[in-house]
Amino acid sequence: MTTAPTTSAGLGPLLRRLTGDEKHGPSAFSTLDVIWVLYDRLLRVDPENPDAPDRDRFLLSKGHGPAAYYAVLAAKGFIPEAWLDDLAGPESRLGHHPDRLLVPGVEIGSGSLGHGLGLGVGTALGLRAQGMSQPRVYVLLGDAELDEGANHEAIAYAGATGLPNLTAIVIDNQSASHGWPGGIASRFTVNGWTASGVDGRDQDAIEAALRGHHRNRPHVVVARVEPKEG
Amino acid sequence: MRETFVDTAGALLDERPRTAVVLADISASAFAPAARAHPDRVLNVGIREQLMIGVAGGLALTGLRPIVHSYATFAVDRAYEQLKLDLDHQGVGAVLVSVGASYDGSSMGRTHMSPADVALIDTLGNWTVHVPGHPDEVPPLLRAAVEHDDSVYLRLSDQTNDHAYEHDGGRLRVLRQGSEQGTVVVAVGPMLEPTLRAVAGLDVTVAYTNTPRPFDTAGLRALLGNRGVAEVVLVEPYLAGTSSGVVGRALVDVPHRLLALGVGRADLRRYGNPADHARWHGLDPVGLRASISGFPG
């Protein structure tokens, strides 16, 4: 057993249990700083009561490479650390794409790109319809994932309906095959979202950007990290 | 049927705070009064069917009961992966209500036809499928569907029978009794009326259902009794053979012959009206009579 890490740097041993990789530290994982900041500083979620109706929601839309997500869930007590030792094994609850019915605290099963933002819009609307104005819905996407047209259906409608309790986070490691001329944020702001650009490795800046949402508009944080290798 | 659906859904929105309606522009004007009364629970996302199903999944994740509605071809064919992942894979359900059926929109051409919708739904897990044959059958089916959280497909059509039949949990209802050795014909939804007209004077039993999933397999076995070789005819208003597998599994230990009638696979590239298409697919009384009286041949 390890003691629960108090900083993202302390996630190293948990990540190594998942990947068996001694070379790469936490910084090898593009989503790690954002997910850590969310779970360490922002999300009102409780591992003892992961289905509380008034909890905040974190939806990992970009289901690929969920190692950082699993490591944070283990560090924060949602899953036993021992689960990390058998990634995608025949009896494992943790696969290369997460399944919400197998992993406590996981809000959606994802993997096929372009599904999380629509589900997030529906979740935000469902909370609003039930008078729950406190919980916030965070959806994490990748810049290449934005290629999927379903995202643009969700971006346009969330802006049009002025969903105030929705935050999208785009991890930009410049992996979209054809790029996003004019910038990623503009895809959202033209539809009425507010936007913040941030260094995806600067945890204080990430926190400030995530807290920078407007009272009656959806918010996007574009977190730029080093370009994807290969 | 669409008007009955809109009225019933509007009443459910009034009565049950857990219900929500998600639209993609289709029928949005009909739902305008309900949207004024319940702006947070009548959601028109615009012409965005992927989002329509994704939103339904998200609503269900928060505990609401979404009723989703569009043309069958957009709600099922176009958004198939959303049905598979945003509902089934998330472990949540919705009530999916389609219009357009197989060739109700014949004058609009192939782009507005969806004969394969029930076959596609069949590839998903454990959906209930209702195919009402009369507008009066719609309200009890919709009301029953919002009582639970599993997925339900309610397939509305402009083709209707002369009479409505009471909702009895989806059991096969015998409407015409033939001899003990005669063929058993199962007519689904609006295929009942043309089937009854087709079999005048033939020795066949006709049973009706508006709930092909789950198919009343026990009822079918009971109807077949102890025939030497059972002869079964399915008359379905969607893709021919859609229920062949279900019936085959139900009769795995019963010697039988099965004739599965329904809409053909070919894109006919013809407009015309639904009666024309029924005739071209052999689903009008004349075509049905030819097929049924020639079986088993």
Side-chain angles (χ1 to χ4, degrees):
Chain A
M1 289 292 288
T2 51
T3 39
T6 52
T7 68
S8 59
L11 294 171
L14 299 176
L15 288 163
R16 280 193 288 278
R17 289 175 72 166
L18 278 158
T19 62
D21 183 348
E22 298 295 326
K23 287 181 301 188
H24 294 105
S27 66
F29 299 90
S30 65
T31 59
L32 184 132
D33 292 280
V34 165
I35 295 178
W36 175 260
V37 167
L38 281 165
Y39 278 85
D40 195 54
R41 306 188 190 183
L42 275 99
L43 293 178
R44 286 163 299 187
V45 289
D46 177 4
E48 302 300 321
N49 191 11
D51 298 322
D54 61 347
R55 70 190 183 279
D56 288 333
R57 268 75 163 176
F58 170 68
L59 279 60
L60 181 71
S61 184
K62 189 191 88 68
H64 301 324
Y69 186 32
Y70 292 150
V72 171
L73 288 173
K76 293 300 181 185
F78 287 88
I79 60 174
E81 289 181 12
W83 288 14
L84 305 178
D85 297 325
D86 184 31
L87 181 66
E91 305 301 326
S92 178
R93 289 177 166 265
L94 307 184
H96 291 294
H97 301 119
D99 184 331
R100 68 178 295 271
L101 299 188
L102 296 179
V103 192
V106 165
E107 300 286 358
I108 60 167
S110 57
S112 178
L113 297 173
H115 288 264
L117 199 54
L119 287 166
V121 168
T123 302
L125 290 164
L127 293 167
R128 183 172 80 177
Q130 293 171 79
M132 286 189 268
S133 56
Q134 277 295 102
R136 219 174 158 74
V137 180
Y138 298 87
V139 183
L140 189 150
L141 308 104
D143 66 302
E145 183 183 7
L146 283 183
D147 289 356
E148 292 284 3
N151 292 304
H152 300 275
E153 295 189 1
I155 291 167
Y157 177 63
T161 197
L163 269 186
N165 52 344
L166 178 68
T167 295
I169 304 148
V170 182
I171 302 292
D172 179 11
N173 63 357
Q174 296 108 73
S175 58
S177 288
H178 300 285
W180 289 106
I184 288 169
S186 68
R187 268 73 195 179
F188 291 81
T189 54
V190 74
N191 287 292
W193 294 52
T194 55
S196 303
V198 68
D199 173 353
R201 297 306 186 186
D202 181 338
Q203 295 190 357
D204 290 338
I206 292 168
E207 180 184 358
L210 287 171
R211 292 191 189 281
H213 55 82
H214 193 269
R215 226 179 323 148
N216 50 22
R217 292 160 75 179
H219 186 55
V220 62
V221 173
V222 180
R224 199 171 165 92
V225 298
E226 28 333 311
K228 185 184 179 187
E229 292 173 21
Chain B
M1 287 190 201
R2 182 174 356 193
E3 294 70 27
T4 317
F5 156 63
V6 171
D7 291 346
T8 307
L12 286 167
L13 286 162
D14 294 337
E15 297 164 21
R16 305 180 72 91
R18 208 169 75 88
T19 52
V21 170
V22 192
L23 306 169
D25 271 4
I26 301 295
S27 303
S29 56
F31 273 104
R36 280 192 293 275
H38 308 285
D40 284 344
R41 288 190 289 126
V42 179
L43 305 161
N44 176 17
V45 302
I47 306 170
R48 299 183 174 96
E49 290 85 11
Q50 296 181 79
L51 179 65
M52 176 178 74
I53 306 299
V55 163
L59 293 171
L61 285 168
T62 69
L64 294 181
R65 182 60 167 158
I67 299 169
V68 194
H69 168 65
S70 188
Y71 265 77
T73 188
F74 310 135
V76 180
D77 304 40
R78 188 185 190 106
Y80 174 77
E81 201 202 22
Q82 277 70 26
L83 299 177
K84 172 189 159 195
L85 295 181
D86 297 356
L87 296 173
D88 280 22
H89 184 54
Q90 307 306 329
V92 296
V95 184
L96 183 56
V97 183
S98 74
V99 289
S102 290
Y103 40 67
D104 282 1
S106 57
S107 66
M108 295 182 282
R110 177 71 172 177
T111 59
H112 282 59
M113 299 181 190
S114 177
D117 54 348
V118 177
L120 285 165
I121 293 284
D122 254 354
T123 67
L124 302 169
N126 296 320
W127 282 58
T128 294
V129 177
H130 295 304
V131 182
H134 189 280
D136 291 349
E137 294 177 15
V138 174
L141 293 173
L142 184 62
R143 285 182 172 277
V146 300
E147 291 295 327
H148 57 86
D149 285 318
D150 295 334
S151 281
V152 176
Y153 181 50
L154 178 56
R155 186 188 208 254
L156 308 182
S157 179
D158 295 333
Q159 318 310 312
T160 62
N161 302 321
D162 291 344
H163 303 286
Y165 295 93
E166 200 177 319
H167 181 43
D168 60 357
R171 279 187 288 280
L172 290 180
R173 179 187 297 264
V174 175
L175 295 177
R176 185 178 188 284
Q177 186 72 59
S179 74
E180 282 188 10
Q181 296 308 311
T183 298
V184 171
V185 180
V186 178
V188 177
M191 293 317 301
L192 175 63
E193 209 71 36
T195 300
L196 287 173
R197 286 170 58 194
V199 300
L202 301 180
D203 177 20
V204 301
T205 295
V206 176
Y208 171 69
T209 186
N210 60 20
T211 305
R213 300 291 181 277
F215 195 95
D216 179 14
T217 52
L220 178 62
R221 288 179 67 105
L223 273 182
L224 294 175
N226 291 315
R227 289 164 162 80
V229 176
E231 284 151 14
V232 180
V233 178
L234 285 169
V235 187
E236 300 184 280
Y238 34 78
L239 199 65
T242 296
S243 293
S244 293
V246 173
V247 171
R249 283 189 294 280
L251 303 182
V252 68
D253 56 345
V254 178
H256 67 280
R257 298 186 185 92
L258 172 64
L259 174 66
L261 303 175
V263 180
R265 280 174 193 266
D267 174 357
L268 299 180
R269 299 189 182 280
R270 296 177 83 171
Y271 298 98
N273 60 37
D276 293 323
H277 281 256
R279 192 172 67 253
W280 294 330
H281 289 285
L283 296 177
D284 65 329
V286 172
L288 291 171
R289 185 175 182 87
S291 296
I292 294 169
S293 60
F295 176 71

